[in-house]
Each structure stands twice: as C-alpha cells, then as structure tokens.
Amino acid sequence: MRFDKGYAALTGALLVTEILIALFVRDAIVRPYVGDALAVVLVYAGLRTVTRLGVLPAVALALLTAIVIEFGQYFHLLDHIGLSDNRWARIILGSGFDPQDFVAYAAGALSVVLAERYRRASRAAAGTRTVRSPSDSSSTI
C-alpha cells in the first residue's frame, strides 16, 4: 500500500466536482455524461492514491466498478438494500439505469489512458526520471 499526494489531490478535486455536479447541475450533457465520465476518473485516481496498481489495471478496475454500479441501477439495488430514499446513496450510486452511460464510462477510461500517456511522454521529453514499481504497467501504454 502507498499514499500518493498528487493522486490524492486529484481525487479530492474530482470528488468535490462530482458532488457539485450532482447537487447543482440540471442539464442534458454535463450531469449525465461528463459526470459519469469523471466518475471513472475519480475511482481511478482514488485507486492510484492508495495502491501500487499500474495505469491499465487501475483504469480497468475503475471501469469495472462503474459498470457494476450501472447494473446495480438496472436491478434496483438501492430498493433491495433499503436505501432508495437516501439522498446520498442516490447521488453516489445513481438511481436510474441508462445504457448510454457505458459510453460515458468508456470515454472516462480512455481519457485516463490518454492523459497518463501524455504525462509520461511529457516527463520523458523533459528528462524527468520517474520511479516505477514492478506492478506499474503504465509503461505498456
């Protein structure tokens, strides 16, 4: 286990952004699609904050988490566990299944891969040395 301050800061900023979107944005683009894409990035950043998972395993786990939550919405999980009236549960886990959300989740995952690739290329061009753990598969992207 580890703690990465940079990913922690990103996780915090994304969490605040997601909460603000959920509470105050009522539109047809940002709330349903940008918010869902950012949710995958949020989970990814959280994973990278506290684990030594590489880019691809962490983004795959973040994407899988979003997909599992979406299927939880399809099967009305909040109703089954008695949290359908809990506002925070509805904000965090969502309340309605939408197959288009899978596209937003994929876009979030793709944006992570592209951002990490750009970050690695920028560091290489600047001559910045990065320290990688043996489990960091980010060198494969």
Side-chain angles (χ1 to χ4, degrees), residues 1-134:
M1 193 142 178
R2 73 169 182 176
F3 183 81
D4 185 294
K5 290 186 268 183
Y7 282 113
L10 177 61
T11 301
L14 288 168
L15 182 59
V16 168
T17 301
E18 286 282 50
I19 291 170
L20 291 173
I21 288 171
L23 293 175
F24 300 112
V25 178
R26 302 281 181 254
D27 71 344
I29 302 289
V30 174
R31 183 178 175 123
Y33 301 112
V34 175
D36 285 349
L38 286 178
V40 172
V41 181
L42 170 64
V43 173
Y44 169 81
L47 287 168
R48 294 288 296 215
T49 297
V50 297
T51 71
R52 296 196 181 275
L53 288 173
V55 170
L56 295 181
V59 79
L61 187 55
L63 181 58
L64 180 62
T65 300
I67 290 169
V68 167
I69 290 171
E70 192 68 28
F71 278 114
Q73 293 171 8
Y74 179 78
F75 291 108
H76 306 284
L77 178 64
L78 293 180
D79 292 335
H80 295 296
I81 61 175
L83 292 176
S84 60
D85 293 331
N86 184 303
R87 182 177 185 192
W88 287 105
R90 291 173 60 88
I91 288 171
I92 294 168
L93 297 176
S95 58
F97 176 79
D98 184 351
Q100 292 179 347
D101 289 350
F102 295 114
V103 175
Y105 301 145
L110 180 61
S111 70
V112 166
V113 172
L114 294 175
E116 291 288 10
R117 179 180 279 179
Y118 175 78
R119 184 174 149 221
R120 180 173 293 282
S122 295
R123 284 185 172 180
T128 304
R129 187 171 158 226
T130 58
V131 178
R132 280 183 246 143
S133 71

